[in-house]
């Protein structure tokens, strides 16, 4: 079937001969496809179908003059839309219990797109990687077969950037799991909670398998002088993939083949450049994802006060674990418990805001907000940041501690527990850094594209305490994502109309099973593929509607209240639209005015 893009905002009529209030609105550059081949035409109108995010389709009639044949495949979306897709992929995937502890990494997701295509969408070609990430057939097949988000995905979604973001995020998780097995086979026996560093994960992408990655890292650590081509040729694993297209990693400037040790160093140097570029994009398009290292470091004061505490001091170690409501001593790895105790004891955060299973070092990789990588260990303004390292010894699951200023950019100094069986300052290799995080004092939303706005004041008379909490949550998340006061109130009014601000509400019929604040439909809608319990989580439900809202530029662009409400109903909630329903929701909206 021929595909087209719309050349202007237009309507897709249900009936070619006449306008209908329920006609769907299409946006500039929206992709549509003929319903039949050859196309069905009626006068100036052509019968086309549009594909929805959930895999369903809608057919209707579009003016032929507003259609342009799509040549060369999909186009790269605007960068704010791309960032929404990337943030969505990482956030949604990392919330699933099957993922821990090898989390998807937003910075590495961006690194992959910058490295593979320089953030472009090359024209699809048979047998070639596809999309801005250069997604391989094997990665797509694994996503469909093993990822909970890939179940039942329609085949044409392979070309969707949003779906590709999820598939590549899943490939990062899968690579982490393969590295656990690969290091284990080399007698390093990493525990299942092992969190690989970014160099590990980037090497898996370059070499095409985790086994050679583990071999290269181990050889480099031993200063191996074997040439990299001979080293890889001796492998019995699948041949390297991207490395065949990027031979610049294999030789020096004079064309001399590098040793294994120098090869790993050259890849790390490139990764540092790519990370710098990735965090520039984050700073521009998702600034609230990044940490602001201000406000003091009371947790570090607590850590400094514990210097010298020995692992044999069972009373002290049990005190650290008590912050996690655990009764353990120094016979258990306790670096994560020490970090948790410092944060809670200093009243930086509440115990309920700690990562799940906080005693595992790897679980701190997604805590708080991100510090841009590669980190400069000599930067005194980063003093107190939480640094997560890949495993430093056989049988370890990683390490976590607080950054202290270093004299070298190649080493990172951590003040932490379980370092030489005590609390002290110890130097580690900077290349082993997995993540650097900053305590997020209010644990606010990480899904934020565009500058945060002031939160609107509401009149919530007649609502109970639980409904008020839901309304204020919606306000906070919409404000942080850049929506102004009118749009915040529109969102609350819609949630009130849909669920009476009751996060647990379920509406089930033969055609729908709608759940939560915004009544996300699990049958062909925005709730498809998610458990009821997850959709009943008020924050998760609101984040899902925010992802949809950011794709609908007409909502943020609307400056008039009724227009904004109509866009929200038709294009964000994708609810049945009538004049009576619009009036009802506008009544709720005006009732919220403080």
């Amino acid at each position: 079937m021929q595909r087209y893009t719309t050349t202007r905002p237009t309507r897709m009529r249900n009936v070619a001969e006449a306008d209908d209030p329920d006609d769907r609105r299409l946006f500039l550059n929206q992709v549509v496809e003929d319903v039949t081949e050859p196309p069905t035409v009626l006068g100036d109108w052509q019968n086309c179908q549009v594909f929805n995010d959930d895999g369903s389709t809608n057919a209707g009639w579009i003016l032929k003059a507003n259609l342009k044949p799509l040549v060369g495949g999909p186009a790269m979306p605007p960068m704010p839309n791309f960032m929404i897709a990337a943030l969505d992929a990482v956030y949604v995937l990392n919330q699933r219990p099957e993922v821990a502890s090898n989390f998807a990494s937003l910075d590495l997701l961006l690194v992959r797109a910058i490295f593979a295509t320089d953030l472009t969408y090359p024209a699809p070609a048979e047998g070639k990687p596809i999309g801005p990430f250069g997604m391989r057939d094997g990665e797509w097949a694994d996503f469909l077969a093993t990822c909970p988000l890939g179940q039942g995905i329609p085949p044409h979604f392979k070309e969707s950037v949003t779906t590709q973001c999820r598939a590549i995020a899943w490939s990062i998780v899968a690579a982490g799991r393969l590295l656990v097995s690969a290091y284990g086979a080399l007698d390093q026996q990493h525990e299942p909670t092992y969190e690989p560093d970014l160099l590990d994960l980037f090497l898996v992408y370059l070499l095409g398998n985790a086994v050679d990655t583990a071999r290269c890292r181990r050889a480099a650590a031993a200063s191996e002088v074997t040439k990299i081509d001979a080293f890889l040729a001796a492998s019995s694993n699948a041949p390297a993939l991207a490395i065949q297209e990027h031979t610049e990693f294999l030789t020096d400037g004079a064309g001399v083949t590098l040793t294994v040790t120098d090869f790993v160093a050259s890849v790390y140097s490139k990764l540092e450049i790519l990370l710098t570029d990735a965090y520039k994009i984050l700073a521009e398009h998702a600034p609230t994802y990044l940490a602001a290292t201000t406000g003091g470091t009371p947790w570090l004061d607590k850590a400094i006060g514990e210097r010298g505490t020995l692992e044999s001091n069972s009373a002290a170690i049990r005190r650290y674990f008590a912050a996690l409501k655990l009764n353990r001593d120094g016979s258990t790895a306790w670096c994560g418990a020490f970090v948790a105790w410092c944060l809670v004891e200093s009243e930086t955060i509440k115990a309920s805001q700690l990562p799940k299973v906080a005693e595992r070092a790897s679980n701190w990789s997604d805590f708080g907000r991100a510090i841009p990588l590669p980190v400069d260990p000599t930067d005194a303004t980063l003093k107190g940041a939480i640094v997560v390292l890949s495993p430093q010894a056989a049988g370890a699951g990683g390490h976590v501690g607080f950054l202290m200023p270093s004299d070298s950019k190649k080493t990172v100094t951590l003040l932490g527990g379980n370092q030489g069986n005590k609390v002290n300052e110890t130097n580690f290799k900077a290349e082993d850094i997995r993540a650097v995080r900053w305590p997020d004092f209010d644990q606010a939303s990480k899904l934020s594209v565009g500058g945060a706005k002031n939160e609107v004041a509401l009149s919530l008379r007649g609502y109970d305490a639980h409904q008020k909490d839901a309304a204020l949550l919606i306000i906070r998340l919409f404000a942080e994502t850049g929506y102004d006061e009118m749009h915040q109130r529109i969102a609350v009014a819609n949630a009130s109309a849909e669920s009476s601000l009751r996060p647990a509400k379920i509406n089930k019929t033969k055609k729908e099973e709608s759940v939560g604040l915004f009544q996300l439909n699990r049958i062909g809608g925005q709730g498809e593929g998610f458990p009821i319990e997850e959709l009943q989580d008020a924050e998760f439900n609101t984040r899902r509607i925010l992802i949809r809202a950011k794709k609908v530029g007409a909502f943020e662009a609307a400056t008039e209240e009724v227009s904004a409400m109509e866009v929200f109903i038709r294009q964000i909630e994708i609810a049945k639209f009538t004049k009576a329903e619009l009036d009802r929701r506008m009544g709720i909206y005006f009732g919220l005015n403080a």
Side-chain angles (χ1 to χ4, degrees), residues 538-556:
E539 184 167 344
F540 183 85
N541 198 287
T542 304
R543 288 183 190 277
R544 292 299 302 155
I545 210 71
L546 268 168
I547 290 163
R548 177 67 190 176
K550 276 296 182 178
K551 294 178 180 179
V552 179
F555 177 60
E556 192 163 10

Side-chain angles (χ1 to χ4, degrees), residues 276-356:
T276 299
D277 292 340
Y279 277 96
K280 286 179 181 177
I281 293 171
L282 282 168
E284 180 178 358
H285 296 287
T288 57
Y289 180 84
L290 304 177
T293 56
T294 57
T297 55
W299 61 89
L300 189 60
D301 295 336
K302 290 292 181 182
I304 291 172
E306 297 294 306
R307 276 181 177 145
T309 301
L310 299 174
E311 187 174 283
S312 57
N313 185 343
S314 292
I317 308 304
R318 291 185 186 279
R319 178 161 45 92
Y320 302 150
F321 276 109
L324 306 177
K325 295 181 170 54
L326 297 173
N327 182 20
R328 298 179 186 173
D329 57 22
S331 62
T332 305
W334 50 280
C335 62
F338 177 73
V339 170
W341 178 85
C342 292
L343 291 168
V344 173
E345 186 70 14
S346 64
E347 299 183 351
T348 300
I349 62 171
K350 299 176 182 177
S352 61
Q353 296 171 322
L354 291 168
K356 294 179 180 177

Side-chain angles (χ1 to χ4, degrees), residues 5 33-34 160 191 240 282 313 362 473 534:
T5 56
E33 183 179 274
D34 284 326
S160 161
E191 63 181 42
L282 282 168
N313 185 343
S362 60
L473 171 72
E534 202 163 37

Side-chain angles (χ1 to χ4, degrees), residues 255-520:
V256 177
T257 302
L258 297 175
T259 65
V260 177
T261 301
D262 290 339
F263 162 73
V264 172
S266 74
V267 173
Y268 181 62
S269 296
K270 180 62 175 179
L271 178 60
E272 287 189 310
I273 295 171
L274 292 167
L275 284 168
T276 299
D277 292 340
Y279 277 96
K280 286 179 181 177
I281 293 171
L282 282 168
E284 180 178 358
H285 296 287
T288 57
Y289 180 84
L290 304 177
T293 56
T294 57
T297 55
W299 61 89
L300 189 60
D301 295 336
K302 290 292 181 182
I304 291 172
E306 297 294 306
R307 276 181 177 145
T309 301
L310 299 174
E311 187 174 283
S312 57
N313 185 343
S314 292
I317 308 304
R318 291 185 186 279
R319 178 161 45 92
Y320 302 150
F321 276 109
L324 306 177
K325 295 181 170 54
L326 297 173
N327 182 20
R328 298 179 186 173
D329 57 22
S331 62
T332 305
W334 50 280
C335 62
F338 177 73
V339 170
W341 178 85
C342 292
L343 291 168
V344 173
E345 186 70 14
S346 64
E347 299 183 351
T348 300
I349 62 171
K350 299 176 182 177
S352 61
Q353 296 171 322
L354 291 168
K356 294 179 180 177
V357 196
E359 64 269 26
R360 293 179 183 170
S362 60
N363 286 1
W364 290 89
S365 298
D366 201 38
F367 171 78
R369 295 189 190 267
I371 296 288
L373 297 176
V375 70
D376 179 359
T378 66
D379 185 350
T381 66
L382 301 181
K383 183 177 180 180
I386 298 168
V387 178
V388 182
L389 302 176
S390 60
Q392 300 298 299
H399 185 63
V400 62
F402 299 115
L403 188 146
M404 301 293 282
S406 169
D407 294 331
S408 169
K409 293 187 177 183
K410 293 185 177 181
T411 61
V412 58
T413 303
L414 298 189
L415 170 58
N418 204 23
Q419 297 182 170
N421 299 325
K422 61 183 177 181
V423 177
N424 65 10
E425 293 182 22
T426 302
N427 292 331
F428 300 91
K429 291 184 293 184
E431 68 183 34
D432 288 339
I433 292 175
R434 175 63 179 85
V436 183
R437 314 296 294 189
W438 194 264
D440 187 2
F441 289 89
D442 58 5
Q443 291 296 285
S445 165
K446 301 183 190 70
L447 180 60
S448 188
V449 175
K453 300 286 186 179
N454 292 329
E455 296 179 18
V456 66
L458 299 179
S459 171
L460 295 171
R461 291 186 298 273
Y463 292 93
D464 64 27
H466 298 293
Q467 291 171 302
K468 289 177 180 177
D469 286 343
L472 294 176
L473 171 72
I474 294 169
I475 290 298
R476 176 171 65 83
L477 294 181
F478 269 73
E480 289 173 352
T481 314
Y483 289 106
D484 63 23
E485 296 182 0
M486 179 189 76
H487 294 86
Q488 295 167 34
R489 193 182 291 117
I490 290 283
V492 175
N494 275 277
S496 180
E498 290 285 341
S499 67
S500 297
L501 293 173
R502 301 290 185 189
K505 183 176 179 179
I506 301 176
N507 180 34
K508 189 170 184 178
T509 68
K510 289 183 179 180
K511 295 184 178 181
E512 72 172 297
E513 185 177 47
S514 297
V515 183
L517 280 180
F518 290 93
Q519 289 291 279
L520 304 184

Side-chain angles (χ1 to χ4, degrees), residues 65-79:
N66 294 340
L67 296 175
K68 178 177 70 175
L70 180 61
V71 179
M76 184 68 179
M79 189 52 61

